[in-house]
Amino acid sequence: MIRFEDVSVTYDGAAAPTLSHVDLHVPEGELVLVVGRTGSGKSTLLKCVNGLVPHFTGGLLSGRVVVAGRDTRTHPPRELADVVGVVPQDPMSGFVTDMVEDELAYGMESIGLAPPVMRRRVEETLDLLGLAELRDRPLLSLSAGQRQRVAIGSVLTTHPKVLILDEPTSALDPGAAEEVLAALQRLVYDLGVTVLMSEHRLERVVHTADRVIVVPGDGGPLRVGTPEQMMVDSPVAPPVVELGRLASWSPLPLSIRDARRAAGPLRERLATLSAPRPAPRPTATKYAFTATDVVVRYGPVTALNRLSLRAANGEVVALMGRNGAGKSTLLGALVGLLRPAAGSVRLGNVDPATLRGRDLVHHVGLVPQQPTDLLVADRVDSECAASDLDAGAAGGTTRDILERLAPGIRGRTHPRDLSEGQRLALALSVVLAAAPPVVLLDEPTRGLDYPSKRRLGKSLQQLASQGHCIVLATHDVELAAEVATRVVVIADGELVADGPAASIVVGSPMFAPQVAKVLSPLPWLTVTDVAAALAGAS
Amino acid sequence: MPRWLHPGAWWLWALGLATAASRTTNPLLLLLIVAVTGWVVSQRKSDAPWARSYAVFLRLALLVIGIRVLFSVVFGIATGTHVIFTLPQVPVPAWAAGVRVGGPVTVEQVLLAVYFGLGLAAIMICIGAANSLASPSRLLKSVPPALYEVGVAVVVAMTFAPQLVADVARVRSARRLRGRPDRGARALAGSVMPVLEGALERAVDLAAAMDSRGYGRTAGVPRRIRITSGALLLLGLLGMCLGVYGLLDVGTPGTLALPMLSAGAAAAVVGLLLAGRRGARTRYRPDPWALPEWLVIIAGVVPATVLIVVSVQDPFSLLGQSSPLAWPSLPLVPAAAILCGLLPGLVAPRPPGITAPQRVQALDDPRPKVGIGT
């Protein structure tokens, strides 16, 4: 169905080819997962399939890519629209119309299908993806998971033989991610669609894949194989695989179910060892921040409903909950961007909404969902200098912090050219330059691969041990299990659960990390803990 | 069965009433036109966001009348004898003779300003009615295939505007997080670049997505036809502009206006049909054009035609007179024609999503308890 023959791609001005000499064949009806570090060329590989590389992005492509018998050299993306459906990373950026039904029909209108066919396919697609209730809704009013499903539906209506998805679940909460994956599996099993997708959150998708393509990122050859083969030594692997590697299970389990079957002996052994003790909660009398009965409204919608939360220095609080639960709103209120309609927010004894300029950055810092929002300069050097100036810190402060968080970034680089992890590190350094006691992060792991995530986790723990109070809003249960001393679950603007990470996430089917699911009822959360316990015992 | 009336029908109805309004300065007729649009809007507006635009246009119209009166009071020439008050007169240099600032203000003068302002206001309110009744994106969906690309550009622009507003807010809060001023001119200047960068990035993303979804697939069309269609379109539009001007301007003879308008329209239609052949696209669920659409158009055409005819034959009857001071008279035939404009409130289908007003039913009423709109 998709055939790459000796394909190399070199972007304009790049020193080395992004992909070199790729030979690849994806047969019909397979669900293929593309994995690799950030910046390894996954997106380029995906964009080659429908000709966006090189027709749209520019650059030099040698060799040839043939999809359903059409060569992308002679067929620009629009001529492939009836065979290849592409769902971009941010579905909102690809929407052309403003209503769900029109969006589903748009692609069919472009390729000129007869009206009765269009009508039938729209109805079928609405049913297939469970969108029937949403047909008359404006796209702007949908939740992130619903948008992702509409985006998939809007390319499905043209009945493409190939579906390309770039990180379809990275912005979704665990529940919405499962909805999207279930829809994808139905397409593969029932309709025989060939699916090629990239995803950093392997723990969500790896067990659904028929094959895995590992993009090494150093220009080396692609490695293709079954997930079991590939996960043995893949540079990126989900926790369940890491646990399997640690316990040397063979074959390597990919799903929780397989791992639980293999985990009997390990559970018995771990039961004799003392479980990792949750870090003692700092018994503070003074809190870094106190939010009392906070109410925030957007028009008629109540985003936070009498929510109270406080945290002490040295704590790492993970805010969890589905998309739209009010996590970002709470962070906005803590940093004073949103003025509560009722209740109060205090940092120490100051109201953040009254702080301006330098006063604010010395009290609290927020790394927004898109770290680039925070960046102003066109070079890393000047960004660091500007940050020192903004924070009133000694020259070189930001650069030193950045060097600790992400060593080896060249000063001349444009922030937009950094990898996701480096960009996050830069934004975090900017925030830390003012040494605020309270550091907030909104969805920091979006687009981060496992190694970058691990580094972020370490940095956050270090910051906490230096006395910062850290709050991160995240869907990433693995990160929360790794770094959080406390987990707070929010639903519909209300606080639902609050307690030590172990006691909150272990019992929850939605928020439990993979290791906890495999080893349940034992209270181990992370591979690191298990490894440490085993090493201590032997 | 609730459905959307074809947006083109709403616009033709509203333009018909607007044409009627442009032909008269009789305040009673103008107020009648405003009342007619108001009633129809109240009967057939949906709960969509654009439906609220009628109120906005009403306010704008009041503003127009206010400005008109203000200018008349300050710069106008006093006519009539009923002086309300006298403004201090500003002496003007000799070269500006004819310009008058201040001086006595009369009732007649203010009334005349109100009448003229009302004429403009009524036209605006008619446009507002069309805006609130017809969905802008559905109107764009029914543009001829030749204008399809332009239509998509407008739709994209319409969805970009709210995102741009969101971007500005985001960049402003990011500036605040950096400890920089987030208010005032300097903050605004500092946030222009990031907002533009974001918009550009999104535009590129959208272009890629549209390309991947088949935007711009064309069927091969010979060059000669392309050029002919373009020329026809341009000439046709020019002719229509001149024709419309002639029709609305009382001074131009109607004999010139109508042929110009129809010839222009014909040329444009042929051009559009020719140009439409180059697109390979089809249309999903086009709005049907059925009996209600025809009735709604007739309800707009009747007042326009009657008022044009009357204004040619008996121009005096449509003018609002303020001196000597008298209660304006209501010419019966034009008034009846304008009342035809009420028809859409009865015959147009209800838009989806709003329910019919609850009927009060007697307890012993044997009919099933179901409203019309369900």
Side-chain angles (χ1 to χ4, degrees), chain B residues 37-95:
Chain B
T37 59
W39 185 75
V40 173
V41 167
S42 74
Q43 288 301 302
R44 287 297 180 267
K45 83 182 175 88
S46 61
D47 40 15
W50 67 79
R52 289 191 282 271
S53 58
Y54 188 70
V56 178
F57 275 83
L58 267 183
R59 263 175 241 147
L60 266 177
L62 285 180
L63 189 71
V64 164
I65 298 178
I67 291 175
R68 185 83 204 216
V69 170
L70 187 73
F71 269 73
S72 161
V73 165
V74 178
F75 302 108
I77 311 284
T79 51
T81 51
H82 300 77
V83 176
I84 315 171
F85 54 86
T86 308
L87 286 177
Q89 191 154 3
V90 180
V92 288
W95 51 264

Side-chain angles (χ1 to χ4, degrees), chain A residues 105-413:
Chain A
Y106 178 80
M108 293 189 291
E109 289 183 328
S110 297
I111 63 172
L113 291 179
V117 179
M118 289 201 270
R119 187 67 206 271
R120 203 182 63 232
R121 287 197 188 167
V122 166
E123 299 299 330
E124 287 165 1
T125 310
L126 286 172
D127 286 340
L128 186 70
L129 297 175
L131 294 169
E133 258 100 83
L134 309 174
R135 64 185 307 159
D136 293 324
R137 290 266 298 274
L139 292 167
L140 275 170
S141 72
L142 302 182
S143 74
Q146 290 168 334
R147 282 179 194 173
Q148 190 66 260
R149 278 185 291 150
V150 171
I152 294 175
S154 69
V155 300
L156 270 186
T157 46
T158 57
H159 283 198
K161 300 197 172 75
V162 179
L163 200 58
I164 307 286
L165 301 113
D166 196 355
E167 308 236 357
T169 73
S170 66
L172 304 184
D173 62 64
E178 270 168 33
E179 274 172 32
V180 169
L181 288 172
L184 280 181
Q185 279 200 304
R186 193 177 319 166
L187 297 179
V188 173
Y189 284 108
D190 295 354
L191 302 180
V193 178
T194 310
V195 175
L196 195 59
M197 70 169 157
S198 72
E199 181 61 69
H200 281 307
R201 303 241 168 130
L202 290 179
E203 67 269 19
R204 289 178 171 174
V205 293
V206 75
H207 55 278
T208 64
D210 295 310
R211 286 202 298 165
V212 171
I213 300 175
V214 179
V215 185
D218 48 8
L222 299 191
R223 292 167 44 228
V224 185
T226 62
E228 290 83 359
Q229 292 165 348
M230 288 297 109
M231 282 302 121
V232 172
D233 56 353
S234 159
V236 289
V240 69
V241 168
E242 304 248 3
L243 189 68
R245 287 181 191 168
L246 180 72
S248 11
W249 289 326
S250 178
L252 205 56
L254 298 177
S255 65
I256 303 294
R257 186 160 173 255
D258 294 344
R260 272 197 76 83
R261 285 181 181 166
L266 179 67
R267 272 203 297 271
E268 276 166 28
R269 182 142 172 246
L270 284 174
T272 63
L273 301 174
S274 59
R277 193 164 307 176
R281 199 163 151 184
T283 47
T285 46
K286 206 167 144 274
Y287 290 96
F289 71 83
T290 317
T292 321
D293 287 335
V294 174
V295 179
V296 176
R297 291 198 190 91
Y298 300 116
V301 182
T302 304
L304 289 183
N305 189 9
R306 294 178 62 82
L307 190 138
S308 299
L309 182 69
R310 56 190 185 181
N313 292 334
E315 277 194 288
V316 182
V317 181
L319 284 182
M320 309 193 74
R322 58 179 93 83
N323 295 97
K327 303 186 295 290
S328 299
T329 308
L330 178 58
L331 294 188
L334 289 180
V335 81
L337 287 177
L338 297 167
R339 226 176 250 276
S344 74
V345 177
R346 292 286 178 275
L347 302 167
N349 30 19
V350 211
D351 180 355
T354 61
L355 295 176
R356 281 280 171 278
R358 210 171 271 179
D359 290 336
L360 180 74
V361 295
H362 283 297
H363 277 92
V364 59
L366 169 69
V367 181
Q369 230 172 68
Q370 293 175 22
T372 41
D373 283 355
L374 213 52
L375 307 179
V376 291
D378 54 359
R379 286 165 46 141
V380 173
D381 277 344
S382 16
E383 189 68 63
C384 291
S387 158
D388 291 340
L389 214 63
D390 286 340
T397 312
T398 314
R399 184 75 221 196
D400 289 346
I401 300 171
L402 180 63
E403 202 56 38
R404 259 185 292 136
L405 293 179
I409 296 181
R410 289 205 325 213
R412 287 205 315 271
T413 326

Side-chain angles (χ1 to χ4, degrees), chain B residues 185-264:
Chain B
R186 268 191 57 209
L188 201 67
S191 50
V192 167
M193 272 319 283
V195 168
L196 285 184
E197 260 176 39
L200 194 65
E201 237 166 61
R202 229 190 350 254
V204 171
D205 282 353
L206 184 65
M210 284 170 69
D211 202 11
S212 334
R213 289 171 66 188
Y215 175 76
R217 281 159 77 110
T218 48
V221 168
R223 193 167 167 233
R224 199 161 39 83
I225 295 191
R226 275 210 320 267
I227 293 175
T228 322
S229 69
L232 275 174
L233 256 179
L234 215 62
L235 280 176
L237 289 179
L238 199 69
M240 278 167 72
C241 282
L242 290 175
V244 168
Y245 179 79
L247 213 59
L248 296 184
D249 180 38
V250 190
T252 319
T255 42
L256 182 70
L258 272 178
M260 201 72 175
L261 183 63
S262 38

Side-chain angles (χ1 to χ4, degrees), chain B residues 130-189:
Chain B
N131 258 312
S132 67
L133 288 167
S135 146
S137 54
R138 293 189 87 81
L139 181 67
L140 285 166
K141 269 177 80 177
S142 43
V143 297
L147 299 180
Y148 167 73
E149 273 91 354
V150 182
V152 170
V154 175
V155 171
V156 167
M158 280 186 343
T159 51
F160 253 57
Q163 287 184 356
L164 214 59
V165 173
D167 272 1
V168 171
R170 226 184 55 219
V171 168
R172 264 189 56 186
S173 42
R175 282 185 66 84
R176 188 153 175 235
L177 294 175
R178 275 296 286 260
R180 296 176 168 210
D182 59 328
R183 285 179 196 167
R186 268 191 57 209
L188 201 67

